Every structure is written in C-alpha cells, then in structure tokens.
Amino acid sequence: MQKLTTDSEFREAVSGKELTIAVFKTTWCKDCHFIDPFMPELIAFYEGRARFVEIDRDDLPDLCSELNILGIPSFIAFHSGQELIRFVSKLRKSRDEIQQFVDRAIEVSASVNRD
C-alpha cells in the first residue's frame, strides 16, 4: 500500500478514474495495527479493481479535518476526485467488514463509470 505524506500526493492519487481506497491510520492506533497482517493479502486480492493508499492522520491533520476523519482506521473510496462511500465506525474492523466495504465501493464505482 502506497503511503502518501503530502496533501498534493493525496489529491493526485484520488483524482483518477481508477477506484482508490484511502486508508487513514496512525502509528499509535491499536485497531490500525490489527488490520496490518491481513491488508497485503486483501490488497493483492483486489489488484486491478481497486488501488489502496495509506495516510497517517497525524501527518496530514488539515486534510483529515477537511475530510472529517475522526475515527481510525477509516476507509474512504474515491473516484475522479469524488468521495463515493466511506467505512468508519468506533469498533475494530474485521477483514470481512473491510472486504464488504471494498466490494460495495467497486459496485458504486462501476455505476459511476457507466454514467
């Protein structure tokens, strides 16, 4: 997963027609570390259908404030610079829940591409 460290990197990453899933994390978040072991396999599974990028909320606080990122980890799907859907909850996120979110993001992105 590509780690983005600047606002301009983020905006460039989400501006394309490819579905991009932005994962907002921090180094101190236990729930963020919980997802680390299975994310590489999940990313590989969706290769060619979704691109994943990582943003450390503490590195880009202004961007995260603009996007209303309060809980972490947070997942936001983007297409052509527009937010499609997001997956945010106070609870720890399971692999199945993240997969359901990505599957839904792919469906929403496909419907946007038809228009």
Side-chain angles (χ1 to χ4, degrees), residues 2-26:
Q2 179 186 4
K3 185 167 182 173
L4 308 178
T5 57
T6 67
D7 186 270
S8 60
E9 284 179 330
F10 169 78
R11 294 191 193 283
E12 183 178 331
V14 302
S15 67
K17 293 202 179 276
E18 178 182 24
L19 173 65
T20 301
I21 309 289
V23 183
F24 294 85
K25 302 167 68 177
T26 64

Side-chain angles (χ1 to χ4, degrees), residues 90-107:
K90 293 180 185 179
L91 304 174
R92 178 174 279 179
K93 291 151 186 75
S94 71
R95 179 185 178 133
D96 287 343
E97 290 172 322
I98 295 168
Q99 280 189 262
Q100 288 171 13
F101 165 75
V102 176
D103 289 341
R104 180 70 182 128
I106 290 169
E107 287 176 21

Side-chain angles (χ1 to χ4, degrees), residues 28-91:
W28 50 263
C29 166
K30 290 181 183 177
D31 288 343
C32 298
H33 291 292
F34 174 79
I35 69 171
D36 285 342
F38 61 78
M39 283 303 293
E41 189 177 307
L42 195 119
I43 291 166
F45 178 78
Y46 287 105
E47 188 172 343
R49 296 182 286 162
R51 173 181 178 216
F52 291 80
V53 296
E54 178 181 330
I55 298 94
D56 187 314
R57 189 180 78 178
D58 292 341
D59 290 345
L60 296 172
D62 292 339
L63 173 67
C64 291
S65 178
E66 174 189 326
L67 295 172
N68 202 27
I69 303 297
L70 302 174
I72 49 173
S74 290
F75 295 78
I76 304 180
F78 290 91
H79 180 275
S80 300
Q82 298 297 313
E83 179 179 328
L84 299 177
I85 59 172
R86 63 173 59 203
F87 176 34
V88 181
S89 72
K90 293 180 185 179
L91 304 174

